[in-house]
Structures are given as structure tokens and as C-alpha cells.
Amino acid sequence: EQKYKYNIALTVSLLCLDLLPALSGEDTTKSFFQELVNILLSYVCKSFRRSSKVLDFHHPHQLREGLEGFSLELPDQPENLEQLLVDCRDTLKYGVKTGHPRFFNQLSSGLDVIGLAGEWLTSTANTNMFTYEVSPVFILMEEILLKKMQEIVGWSEEEGDGVFCPGGTMSNLYSVLLARYHFFPEVKTKGMTALPRLILFTSAHSHYSVKKSAAVLGIGSENVVVVKCNDRGKMIPAELESSIITAKDQGCVPFYVNATAGTTVYGAFDPLNAIADICESHGLWLHVDAAWGGGLLMSKRHRVKLQGIERAWSVTWNPHKMMGAPLQCSAILVKKRGLLKDCNQMCAEYLFQTDKHYDTSYDTGDKTIQCGRHVDVFKLWLMWKAKGSEGFESQVNKCLENAEHLFDNLKQRPDFELVFKSEPEHSNVCFWYIPPSLRNMSPGPERNRRLHEVAPKIKAKMMEQGMAMIGYQPLGDKVNFFRCVFSNPATQTEDVDYLLEEIASLGHDICIRTETDL
């Protein structure tokens, strides 16, 4: 590759000390940023170009050892600005283009240009979300966004609180924290020793963050009851009811149920109304983890899949998934106002003085478990202004149409097999590729053992080639299968078709050894 040349006077003698706030640093700073923007724009354009690679894969040891002058080691002496620009370019070069139309690997994908602009502005502002005095505009934007999202969930104007969090795991942790405080406020001062043995419930297909939250909060992962699901990955209400009764009979205290709206692997939606009925009957906190499925609330066609979400006491919703906001952008929505503050308030006098000259109810930092909090709202606010609610609706509908297209194609192909035959509820489509060597094998342990090795081998080849990327995993008694998810508005049906042909091409000659060969 031709060595990157910069058309500005960033010679080897110019260092970061020559940039602002240096007295004569304005012109050098402008030149530096102009070159940086050129690098970023080039990357953005390449991300949407189908002829470009999704990734230029290298193993960890190769990156650590250095490639073409790209060194990760930290120097004692400052390096010049030209080298820093080269490092910026190489950092992007050896990363993964998650905005590429053929990146299907994660629930969060895509590269929204307006959202990206919002993130750049956010970093430029470089402020904190704990008080109105240092973040007046962003604090008000957060309030407006939270109210809008609560309205879409279906809560009344008199209800609703919330906060933007660093990811869905933290949002789910908030829900458990608040539920425990709601029923046992003494935990804030006396700790878990003052409480009975608490039990919470979640489905077998739910996100692992529910168990992690129980571990972090001192409740214990063994006190998370995993409720059985049906073949489609939905929680079975009768199993939930039975589990609650069993816990009570054992002298434990059930207090919280997590229902999932859009499971991570299958994209399943738990029956929210039936679960809400059970929670009301037993007086339990109902949380809906809609981190992945919340975006469907924007669609008149698909929001029926979350029917009953308005009955939840709290909701997790990640706009950085289906709505395409840049990472991170996650909200915990809470129906009961004031609970966040009561649960988390510590009244630090150096931040939250009560005699300020403005309305201190806008000093929202004391209702979070963080002190410093990144501004995650502006990019979403700007995107909403640019698209309107209707734009998000079209975006969500298009992603699910891509999933339907993939599902329909897979049904017609003898070299692929669907994990379940019903149409996808979300944009998740799960399937196996069946290489020629396995197509005439009878179902059984040996076929499963060999099929289990197919997806990892294809994924390895795909990453080495770099033109597409998709995830795989086992689940329960299912051996490794591909999970394709759509959240990138840039993805078209031609990219879906390309993915299947790429998998078939890479997997056609795979030969899995029998046990007698091992």
C-alpha cells in the first residue's frame, strides 16, 4: 500500500504542544483537524462501499507485534502529529466496519451519519450529565427524550422517570436495584443482611445480564430462577406461576420478574400481558427487557408484538440497536416517579447544593448510580429531529423485511436448514448450513457432532476473507448455528442474497472428520 501522505505542514517537528491551547496553535489545529476529518470521511465512505472489506483480519499477536509501522506500544517521548494521523488511519484500517451493509454480526450495526455528527459534537462539548449548571441543554434533551419514549411505551403523562445508561446491562441492573428498593427500602442503609432470601425470575432465553445483576447486587445468581420457554423461545406463563409458588413454599420471597421483548438469539417476545397478570396476582415488579425489541414500538405494523408493555414497572430500551444510534445509547424507563432519586440519592454537597439559583430538580445526577455520566442523548435527539418518528418506523420495517426475505430464501434452499420453521418475529433469523458431506446423513449424535463444527469453520474463513461477517452460537440442545440479525438501514436484499452465497461457497468443500478419524 502506498504510504499515506498529508498535504499540510505537519512536519516531524510539530507535536501536540503546537496545537491549541498553544498561543500560536490555531492554524496548526485547523490543519490537523482537516486532515483527521479527511481520514474519517474516507472511512465513512468505505463503510458503505460493498467492494470494500468489512474487516482486514489479523490475529492478536500480529497486531501486538506491529504491522507496517503501526505500533500499539506507548512511547516515553512524544510522537509527531503526522505519525498520530497515520495511527488514526491504521486504527480504522485494522478494525471492523460495523456500518458495512454486509456486517450481520451484532444487534447493533450501521453507521448513521446524523448520529455520528451528534457524537462528534458531544465529544467536542465534553461535559457531564450530573448537573444542569454544566450541561443545561443536554439535561433538557434527556428529559424530552425520556418523556417521548415513555409516551410510546404507553404510560400516562403523570407517570414516568428514567435515565440514559452505559448499555442495556446497566439498564437491567437498575431495574433490579429499583425493584429491591421499592419493596425493601431498608436495604439502602442496612444491606442484604436485613432482608429475607429474595428470588427473581427470568426466562431461559433472556439476557445474561439479569443473572449478572443479581450477582453484582448481592442477591446471588443462584437466587435467579430460570423459567422454561417454548420451542420458539418465549417464556411459558404457567411455568412462571409454578416457579413463583414453589419459591414461596420454600420460604423465599419472590419480588421481580424479567420479561424479554426480543431475545438476543431467537428474537422472541415473551407474552407480556399473561406475565403481567401473574405479576399483579403475586404483587411482583415486572420489568420488560426491550433492549433489542424496543425499536419495534416505533412501527405501527410491529408494535403489537410488545402488547402489554405499558403494564411494566420498568423498561430497558436500547436505541443503539434497532434505531441505529451510535454506541452507546440505552435508557432505563421507570413508571414510578421519584423512585430513582430515593434509591440512589447521596446528596453530595460539592455537586448537589440545595441553595442554587435555578431549579435544582434538573440536577439529575443524584438519581443515578454513577457520578460522571457521558452524554448519550444528543445523537439520538439529533437523529429524531432528522428522521422524525416516521423515519424510524420506515427504518424498523425495512430491517424486518430483510429478515423476511432471508427466511423465505432459506425455506427454498436444500443446502440450508432453519432452526425453527415459524416466521421470524424480529429481525433474527437462525439457520444451519448443511455441507454436501452431511446432506445424506441421518439425524443423530454423529451428524450433530459434525454439524457443530461447520459454522465456526465457515466463520473463520469468512473473517479471513473479510467481505462479510455473521455470528454463530449453540443454544440448549441445538448445535452451532448462524444467527443473522438486521439493524443496519444500509443493508439491502442484494446483501442478504450475497451472504447466503458466501456461506455456501465457503462451506461447500468443508469436510468434517468422523470420530473414527480423530
Side-chain angles (χ1 to χ4, degrees):
E1 184 179 342
Q2 186 176 358
K3 183 171 173 57
Y4 207 92
K5 297 292 185 181
Y6 298 102
N7 299 319
I8 58 171
L10 295 179
T11 67
V12 291
S13 62
L14 288 175
L15 305 172
C16 69
L17 292 176
D18 297 301
L19 302 173
L20 290 173
L23 291 177
S24 58
E26 188 169 325
D27 288 341
T28 304
T29 301
K30 286 180 180 178
S31 296
F32 177 74
F33 272 129
Q34 284 166 357
E35 290 298 335
L36 180 61
V37 167
N38 289 339
I39 292 171
L40 297 175
L41 288 176
S42 174
Y43 178 82
V44 169
C45 292
K46 282 183 180 178
S47 291
F48 292 104
R49 209 173 289 148
R50 287 170 175 81
S51 59
S52 69
K53 288 188 172 185
V54 175
L55 74 160
D56 182 5
F57 178 77
H58 292 81
H59 289 280
H61 71 90
Q62 293 174 308
L63 285 175
R64 286 194 64 88
E65 291 166 4
L67 293 167
E68 299 176 357
F70 181 45
S71 172
L72 299 177
E73 297 303 317
L74 298 174
D76 291 326
Q77 300 299 318
E79 294 186 346
N80 62 66
L81 296 181
E82 184 174 8
Q83 181 59 49
L84 297 186
L85 290 169
V86 171
D87 290 342
C88 288
R89 178 184 63 86
D90 288 344
T91 298
L92 293 173
K93 176 184 176 182
Y94 297 119
V96 178
K97 296 185 184 74
T98 58
H100 195 287
R102 293 171 181 171
F103 176 81
F104 306 97
N105 206 71
Q106 314 298 149
L107 302 184
S108 51
S109 65
L111 184 60
D112 190 280
V113 173
I114 298 294
L116 180 59
E119 191 66 33
W120 288 351
L121 186 145
T122 296
S123 294
T124 302
N126 192 34
T127 192
N128 205 313
M129 285 291 284
F130 44 40
T131 62
Y132 179 84
E133 65 185 272
V134 299
S135 195
V137 181
F138 296 138
I139 291 282
L140 293 177
M141 285 177 175
E142 181 173 53
E143 178 187 50
I144 288 167
L145 278 168
L146 290 169
K147 282 184 177 178
K148 185 71 171 179
M149 295 169 78
Q150 291 155 12
E151 174 191 326
I152 292 169
V153 165
W155 294 342
S156 70
E157 288 187 10
E158 292 73 34
E159 298 172 314
D161 199 352
V163 68
F164 277 77
C165 305
T169 291
M170 288 299 298
S171 294
N172 285 342
L173 185 143
Y174 266 104
S175 71
V176 180
L177 176 73
L178 293 169
R180 183 179 65 176
Y181 178 82
H182 172 75
F183 292 114
F184 302 98
E186 64 272 24
V187 72
K188 183 175 180 179
T189 52
K190 297 179 180 178
M192 285 296 294
T193 56
L195 274 57
R197 183 182 174 188
L198 302 181
I199 301 292
L200 56 153
F201 304 84
T202 193
S203 85
H205 283 241
S206 66
H207 195 261
Y208 69 91
S209 59
V210 178
K211 277 190 175 182
K212 180 172 282 191
S213 297
V216 169
L217 294 171
I219 296 169
S221 60
E222 290 185 359
N223 292 317
V224 178
V225 174
V226 176
V227 181
K228 291 180 183 177
C229 295
N230 62 20
D231 290 343
R232 188 57 186 81
K234 298 170 178 285
M235 183 191 288
I236 302 171
E239 293 287 344
L240 172 63
E241 180 102 55
S242 174
S243 298
I244 292 169
I245 293 170
T246 298
K248 288 181 175 179
D249 290 343
Q250 293 172 346
C252 302
V253 179
F255 78 107
Y256 170 104
V257 174
N258 172 68
T260 308
T263 58
T264 307
V265 180
Y266 280 5
F269 290 80
D270 288 340
L272 301 183
N273 271 319
I275 294 170
D277 289 341
I278 293 168
C279 289
E280 286 180 9
S281 173
H282 292 275
L284 307 184
W285 180 290
L286 172 60
H287 174 68
V288 174
D289 178 3
W292 176 223
L296 272 64
L297 290 168
M298 305 301 296
S299 167
K300 290 186 282 289
R301 186 188 310 168
H302 295 290
R303 67 169 290 127
V304 66
K305 297 167 185 176
L306 294 93
Q307 194 168 23
I309 194 172
E310 72 281 356
R311 300 172 67 184
W313 295 28
S314 57
V315 173
T316 291
W317 182 351
N318 285 10
H320 69 231
K321 291 191 168 81
M322 276 305 289
M323 294 174 73
L327 287 158
Q328 319 185 104
C329 192
S330 174
I332 175 68
L333 308 176
V334 185
K335 182 175 281 189
K336 184 179 179 181
R337 281 189 186 165
L339 189 61
L340 271 166
K341 189 172 184 179
D342 291 344
C343 179
N344 296 310
Q345 186 177 40
M346 288 294 167
C347 303
E349 292 181 343
Y350 78 98
L351 276 178
F352 307 114
Q353 303 92 342
T354 58
D355 54 358
K356 293 180 179 179
H357 71 288
Y358 60 83
D359 182 353
T360 56
S361 67
Y362 287 98
D363 286 355
T364 56
D366 219 11
K367 69 180 184 181
T368 74
I369 58 178
Q370 299 168 253
C371 177
R373 188 161 63 97
H374 186 261
V375 177
D376 290 328
V377 296
F378 180 70
K379 55 197 171 191
L380 178 59
W381 179 88
L382 197 64
M383 288 172 65
W384 215 309
K385 295 277 281 189
K387 299 171 188 285
S389 299
E390 292 180 356
F392 280 123
E393 179 177 22
S394 298
Q395 189 170 306
V396 168
N397 289 343
K398 180 180 177 182
C399 288
L400 270 73
E401 286 165 8
N402 280 336
E404 292 165 8
H405 177 80
L406 174 57
F407 177 79
D408 290 341
N409 279 3
L410 288 168
K411 285 192 301 183
Q412 308 302 319
R413 295 191 57 149
D415 49 346
F416 289 89
E417 186 178 318
L418 288 157
V419 173
F420 45 84
K421 306 303 180 186
S422 57
E423 292 187 5
E425 283 191 292
H426 205 327
S427 74
N428 309 50
V429 183
C430 301
F431 59 92
W432 291 282
Y433 171 72
I434 313 297
S437 60
L438 300 185
R439 286 175 201 166
N440 295 321
M441 284 190 71
S442 301
E446 177 59 17
R447 182 181 186 271
N448 285 343
R449 185 195 68 77
R450 295 169 73 175
L451 183 58
H452 188 65
E453 297 182 36
V454 171
K457 288 180 180 293
I458 292 175
K459 174 71 176 282
K461 286 186 175 183
M462 186 179 288
M463 290 184 68
E464 293 285 352
Q465 185 171 306
M467 297 306 293
M469 199 166 173
I470 185 175
Y472 72 86
Q473 66 285 301
L475 185 64
D477 61 352
K478 305 283 195 301
V479 299
N480 280 327
F481 56 87
F482 290 112
R483 179 203 65 169
C484 188
V485 286
F486 299 95
S487 60
N488 185 353
T491 300
Q492 306 293 334
T493 53
E494 67 181 90
D495 302 304
V496 180
D497 297 340
Y498 175 89
L499 175 68
L500 290 186
E501 295 306 322
E502 180 78 347
I503 291 173
S505 174
L506 294 172
H508 185 270
D509 295 328
I510 282 180
C511 183
I512 309 296
R513 291 181 294 174
T514 64
E515 285 190 328
T516 56
D517 295 329
L518 298 176

